[in-house]
């Protein structure tokens, strides 16, 4: 069975947790596409070359989840050459046998417009910054500024900007616990699988 769940949205909205839960519930494979951009961002040198030469080992680094790696990812993600180099791998993953969940910024709009389910997971910048701050600590105001800067760059870039696909189901997790958000996502996928 070919079945793609595209989960897009801004940083720290809950995409990762929801994606892992959906993949686990339905036995689908999961790809966190942000990791590809993070790996390119931290690799240094020419970003386009880093994207073309990316290997599974690059995704194994333990510094990919830091704020700095997120910023570097967002910076290299504006480059069309970087995005182009990562398209084919993501498309193959999306349409591989057995079902796939991909989370990112442009999965429903660019990578897999034919996805059977498209979710746009979001929350207010303040809520997202607070969640991120609980994980990374430090100065919460700085984390909020970082979240807003990343939103502006991801939504404002010319190539594959972050925006909901027209047929995406919106899940605003601002006032939701994680269990509620996961249940909402699973309900959408279950309904589509049941053909309703
Ligand atoms: O989801 P994340 O925070 O790991 O993503 C890090 C950055 O990578 C994000 O700010 C923009 C970029 N990105 C992208 O442009 N397209 C994707 N599909 C995923 C991530």
């Amino acid at each position: 069975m070919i079945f793609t769940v595209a989960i897009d949205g801004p940083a720290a909205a809950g995409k990762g947790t929801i994606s892992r839960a959906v993949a686990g519930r339905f036995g689908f494979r999961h790809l966190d596409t942000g990791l590809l951009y993070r790996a390119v961002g931290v690799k240094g040198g020419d970003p386009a070359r880093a994207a073309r030469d990316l290997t599974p080992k690059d995704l194994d680094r333990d510094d990919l989840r830091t704020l700095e790696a997120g910023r570097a990812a967002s910076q290299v993600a504006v480059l069309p050459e970087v995005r182009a180099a990562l398209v084919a791998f993501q498309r193959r993953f999306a349409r591989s046998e057995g079902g796939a969940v991909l989370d990112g910024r442009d999965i429903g709009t660019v990578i897999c417009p034919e996805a059977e389910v498209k979710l746009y997971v979001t929350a207010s910048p303040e809520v997202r910054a607070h969640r991120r701050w609980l994980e990374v600590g430090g100065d919460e105001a700085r984390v909020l500024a970082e979240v807003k800067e990343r939103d502006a760059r991801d939504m404002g870039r010319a190539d594959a900007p972050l925006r909901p696909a027209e047929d995406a189901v919106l899940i605003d997790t601002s006032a939701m616990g994680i269990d509620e958000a996961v249940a909402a996502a699973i309900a959408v996928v279950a309904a589509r699988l049941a053909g309703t």
Side-chain angles (χ1 to χ4, degrees), residues 104-188:
R105 301 291 186 290
D106 62 341
I107 309 304
T109 51
V110 174
I111 299 298
C112 196
E114 69 274 39
E116 282 72 16
V117 173
K118 297 180 191 176
L119 302 177
Y120 191 83
V121 179
T122 188
S124 73
E126 288 74 18
V127 166
R128 289 185 286 120
H130 186 68
R131 289 181 189 153
R132 195 38 65 88
W133 173 76
L134 289 175
E135 290 168 10
V136 300
D139 175 6
E140 189 169 349
R142 190 183 144 245
V143 178
L144 177 60
E146 187 82 37
V147 160
K148 287 184 172 169
E149 184 192 320
R150 199 117 80 79
D151 283 358
R153 199 183 296 114
D154 293 348
M155 293 174 187
R157 69 183 174 223
D159 191 12
L162 169 64
R163 59 177 179 79
E166 265 173 30
D167 49 349
V169 175
L170 187 81
I171 299 180
D172 187 329
T173 68
S174 300
M176 281 183 187
I178 192 60
D179 290 350
E180 201 183 337
V182 165
I186 285 179
V188 176

Side-chain angles (χ1 to χ4, degrees), residues 35-51:
L35 274 188
L36 305 175
Y37 292 90
R38 286 170 181 262
V40 171
V42 299
K43 204 162 179 192
D46 172 30
R49 164 162 297 200

Side-chain angles (χ1 to χ4, degrees), residues 68-85:
E68 291 69 28
R71 186 190 311 126
S74 174
Q75 285 167 350
V76 297
V78 306
L79 303 170
E81 300 83 357
V82 167
R83 307 200 71 83

